[in-house]
Amino acid sequence: SPEDVIGKTDFDLFPKIIAESFQQNDRIVFETGQPLIDEVHLTSFFSHEPRWSFSSKYPLTDRSGTVIGLVTLNETYETVMGKHEDLNRLLPAIDHVYRHYATPLTVGELASLCHFSESHFMRLFKERLRLTAYAFVEQVRMYHAIDLLKRGDETISRIAADCGFYDHSAFVKRFRKFTGKTPLRYRREHQARRLSERES
């Protein structure tokens, strides 16, 4: 409910790397005084089919023109379907990542699904989603790893492999960068929080 997020920051609600990107966008609006129009965001990963939204941030100013806040407006992808032809053309690659995140993926493979050259695909992907295709693949894999850590008791190595990470130590390092915690600590803190909620 809306009440659940009152007083919370991005870092309370999202993995570290996602929260940082949201706050960076906020800082851009505050520092430049210019709106950010139609930023692309994914709104869910696990319990529903992936849903995209377009987020626009507008500065609020006082009478002297000083930026004192911002307003964010979100539209679902369905609402603006056809508005962004370049994003439509990227969707085959995005869908492929969601369905095959656990397998080795290359930029060449993703570009060919969209009928782009690799260089054009990488440029357009970064332009529209504000992150590289490599970072996007890792982001999807990390969200699934987080879900498995929350829901099951598989070993960290098994979860890493199931989510497309074939080097355990590299997975732990990337997970820490993504969330600010090791996978084991993340799991233990989540379990402790769930136990505390059941007891209260």
Side-chain angles (χ1 to χ4, degrees), residues 67-105:
V67 179
I68 57 173
L70 60 82
V71 171
T72 300
L73 301 178
N74 292 298
E75 295 179 278
T76 63
Y77 181 73
E78 291 81 0
T79 302
V80 292
M81 186 73 76
K83 181 179 176 182
H84 300 279
E85 182 59 31
D86 51 359
L87 181 61
N88 291 342
R89 294 182 68 186
L90 290 173
L91 289 178
I94 292 168
D95 182 66
H96 187 76
V97 172
Y98 282 116
R99 295 178 187 278
H100 304 283
Y101 63 88
T103 66
L105 297 169

Side-chain angles (χ1 to χ4, degrees), residues 4-183:
D4 291 334
V5 299
I6 293 175
K8 300 287 180 62
T9 71
D10 291 329
F11 289 90
D12 296 318
L13 303 171
F14 303 101
K16 180 183 175 186
I17 198 168
I18 302 301
E20 287 175 345
S21 71
F22 288 166
Q23 290 203 345
Q24 177 61 28
N25 285 347
D26 291 349
R27 282 194 292 270
I28 289 172
V29 175
F30 273 101
E31 291 169 4
T32 67
Q34 300 298 314
L36 288 178
I37 307 297
D38 288 338
E39 295 278 303
V40 181
H41 295 292
L42 186 72
T43 55
S44 67
F45 278 85
F46 307 121
S47 57
H48 306 285
E49 287 297 310
R51 295 180 62 83
W52 291 90
S53 67
F54 290 84
S55 175
S56 297
K57 296 177 183 288
Y58 299 90
L60 292 174
T61 61
D62 61 17
R63 292 181 180 179
S64 68
T66 301
V67 179
I68 57 173
L70 60 82
V71 171
T72 300
L73 301 178
N74 292 298
E75 295 179 278
T76 63
Y77 181 73
E78 291 81 0
T79 302
V80 292
M81 186 73 76
K83 181 179 176 182
H84 300 279
E85 182 59 31
D86 51 359
L87 181 61
N88 291 342
R89 294 182 68 186
L90 290 173
L91 289 178
I94 292 168
D95 182 66
H96 187 76
V97 172
Y98 282 116
R99 295 178 187 278
H100 304 283
Y101 63 88
T103 66
L105 297 169
T106 67
V107 168
E109 176 186 4
L110 299 178
S112 67
L113 290 169
C114 303
H115 307 291
F116 289 140
S117 68
E118 287 189 32
S119 59
H120 183 66
F121 172 77
M122 289 190 293
R123 183 171 61 253
L124 184 60
F125 200 99
K126 178 75 178 292
E127 199 175 278
R128 291 305 302 146
L129 274 77
R130 302 291 176 141
L131 76 169
T132 67
Y134 295 109
F136 178 76
V137 171
E138 181 176 89
Q139 189 178 106
V140 172
R141 288 171 172 167
M142 282 295 178
Y143 270 106
H144 283 280
I146 287 170
D147 186 49
L148 290 175
L149 284 167
K150 288 179 176 179
R151 291 191 295 107
D153 56 3
E154 291 282 357
T155 65
I156 304 301
S157 295
R158 181 72 263 164
I159 288 174
D162 287 347
C163 293
F165 297 96
Y166 302 105
D167 183 320
H168 175 82
S169 61
F171 168 68
V172 172
K173 289 178 182 177
R174 299 304 299 166
F175 191 93
R176 180 181 288 174
K177 178 177 176 60
F178 196 79
T179 66
K181 303 171 184 178
T182 65

Side-chain angles (χ1 to χ4, degrees), residues 149 182-194:
L149 284 167
T182 65
L184 185 58
R185 180 182 171 192
Y186 188 95
R187 168 178 272 170
R188 286 175 175 170
E189 289 187 359
H190 176 74
Q191 290 173 341
R193 187 162 55 249
R194 291 290 300 276

